[in-house]
Amino acid sequence: MYATQALTNLVPLAEELDKNKVTPGVLGFIVFAALAVGVWALMKSMNRHMGRVNFEETPAASDPAAAEEPAEPVSAKRK
């Protein structure tokens, strides 16, 4: 009996809603929040992985110290 009373009380509220207006509702918020958490986790993971990258930068062409040393052929280094 309680369920029928609740439904009869909610029916007038449903009639007051504009049927031409579309809102995202709770499901839209949950999907948006899940996407936001996923993007945050991906950014945090990318930042952690980029911090682990170790590389040596090649000297720039405008660097005069690098221009003084001639480049050795690859075959000379293997001997």
Side-chain angles (χ1 to χ4, degrees):
M1 182 150 151
Y2 292 112
T4 57
Q5 287 178 347
L7 288 176
T8 56
N9 289 336
L10 290 176
V11 169
L13 293 176
E15 291 176 359
E16 293 176 6
L17 294 176
D18 185 11
K19 295 180 181 178
N20 296 325
K21 184 177 180 183
V22 178
T23 60
V26 177
L27 180 63
F29 174 75
I30 291 171
V31 169
F32 182 77
L35 287 172
V37 169
V39 168
W40 176 79
L42 284 172
M43 288 177 61
K44 185 170 179 155
S45 175
M46 182 188 68
N47 193 18
R48 190 177 333 123
H49 282 87
M50 291 300 286
R52 292 180 186 170
V53 172
N54 186 13
F55 66 95
E56 292 183 18
E57 198 170 324
T58 58
S62 63
D63 189 15
E68 292 175 4
E69 296 178 9
E72 295 180 18
V74 176
S75 60
K77 290 183 181 179
R78 290 186 182 175
K79 291 183 181 181

